[in-house]
Amino acid sequence: MTKKRLSCPRCGAEMNNHAEKISYEEVAGGYKPDPVFGGVVEEIHTCPGCGNVESRTAG
Amino acid sequence: MESGRPIFIPVILGTTRKGRMSEHVANFMAREIVKQENVGTEVVDIRNIPFPTDDAGESIKHAGFSETAMKADAFVIVAPEYNHGYPGLLKHALDTNLKEYIHKAVGICGVSAGPFGGTRVIENLLPVMRELGLVAIFWDVNFSAVQKAFDENGKLLDEAYVKRAEKFIKELVWMAKVLRYGRENVEI
């Protein structure tokens, strides 16, 4: 199932998910690691309206 | 199709050392960047960002620096070569952001008093750029014998750097435009 797109908290436009990155710092902070990658998979979203960048944990 | 927002390329002055010649390099690069149509810049002097040194990484984000990185489409890093490496405080500053860098372009200007123009600091920075999610261009500007390239007031003494900078900046702007389109329109 496709995840719902993020709305930009700054301008309200629909953001684009263009990257995923493994974060090991978040594992150290107590987040549950992805069993395949050993870290937390973070999605990176950019707003085409204002250029704002947001991240969220992939799930 | 290009977005109407200007391309923004901050120049990171990557040393805090007193008497740094890299300051002249950073100011010169900023002057050259704004010659490009619809491109803006500012010099980010890491000396002016009060990062604590009793912690590191994203937990010590500086709001102003992170906002500048967020707005950026590309970065110019001006890095002097210290003992064949990069200044520790430059790495300390860069490490405070991550999502702000991903899929953005970067070009590196190496600075040295000797003849190699910071070649080794550039090579050492490239794997760091990759891990931060930045996309390095294949042009560099090497400021060798930098004390002869500028006078004490920052006036450029070697005009060859104007053409070298222009090639570097044109490549960086192209990459910045392409990556902005990708970030905003191409889903992973």
Side-chain angles (χ1 to χ4, degrees):
Chain A
M1 195 176 79
T2 308
K3 281 180 82 169
K4 192 169 178 238
R5 287 186 168 227
L6 281 183
S7 290
C8 178
R10 294 193 179 185
C11 75
E14 196 172 71
M15 302 183 84
N16 182 54
N17 177 201
H18 61 92
E20 292 180 332
K21 181 119 177 47
I22 308 290
S23 169
Y24 299 100
E25 276 190 30
E26 294 203 358
V27 173
Y31 289 81
K32 190 178 172 199
D34 181 286
V36 173
F37 300 106
V40 175
V41 181
E42 272 194 88
E43 297 174 350
I44 312 299
H45 300 252
T46 290
C47 175
C50 67
N52 181 36
V53 182
E54 297 290 334
S55 62
R56 71 177 173 190
T57 303
Chain B
M1 192 170 69
E2 288 181 27
S3 157
R5 282 184 282 121
I7 293 289
F8 178 52
I9 306 178
V11 177
I12 298 176
L13 171 52
T15 174
T16 60
R17 188 177 280 187
K18 288 183 171 64
R20 57 194 180 174
M21 292 297 286
S22 296
E23 186 170 345
H24 298 327
V25 173
N27 291 330
F28 164 71
M29 292 303 297
R31 291 195 298 272
E32 296 305 305
I33 286 169
V34 295
K35 290 179 179 175
Q36 302 294 313
E37 192 178 341
N38 208 30
V39 179
T41 189
E42 66 182 54
V43 174
V44 177
D45 184 348
I46 64 166
R47 184 188 276 175
N48 296 335
I49 308 173
F51 289 118
T53 52
D54 60 351
D55 198 357
E58 291 194 274
S59 59
I60 59 163
K61 269 179 188 289
H62 180 272
F65 181 52
S66 294
E67 184 64 24
T68 299
M70 175 95 75
K71 284 193 309 184
D73 295 292
F75 301 86
V76 170
I77 296 179
V78 174
E81 185 173 299
Y82 294 160
N83 297 330
H84 289 199
Y86 42 76
L89 287 176
L90 170 61
K91 178 72 162 52
H92 191 58
L94 290 172
D95 284 350
T96 60
N97 291 307
L98 182 59
K99 70 178 181 184
E100 292 84 351
Y101 301 134
I102 290 180
H103 290 164
K104 295 184 178 179
V106 64
I108 305 171
C109 298
V111 181
S112 68
F116 303 116
T119 301
R120 292 164 296 210
V121 69
I122 293 172
E123 293 297 313
N124 284 327
L125 271 172
L126 288 176
V128 177
M129 301 294 97
R130 178 176 176 270
E131 183 55 21
L132 292 176
L134 292 160
V135 179
I137 61 169
F138 54 58
W139 278 87
D140 310 317
V141 189
N142 300 97
F143 291 86
S144 54
V146 67
Q147 67 280 7
K148 294 179 185 167
F150 297 90
D151 71 12
E152 66 273 17
N153 298 314
K155 182 177 181 296
L156 185 69
L157 300 175
D158 183 350
E159 287 297 318
Y161 282 109
V162 173
K163 276 196 169 178
R164 293 172 189 155
E166 184 186 19
K167 295 285 189 195
F168 168 95
I169 292 164
K170 281 187 178 294
E171 166 71 10
L172 187 62
V173 170
W174 186 92
M175 191 68 87
K177 288 177 177 174
V178 169
L179 289 173
R180 178 196 273 183
Y181 181 85
R183 287 194 309 277
E184 297 183 354
N185 297 283
V186 183
E187 196 170 2
I188 193 165

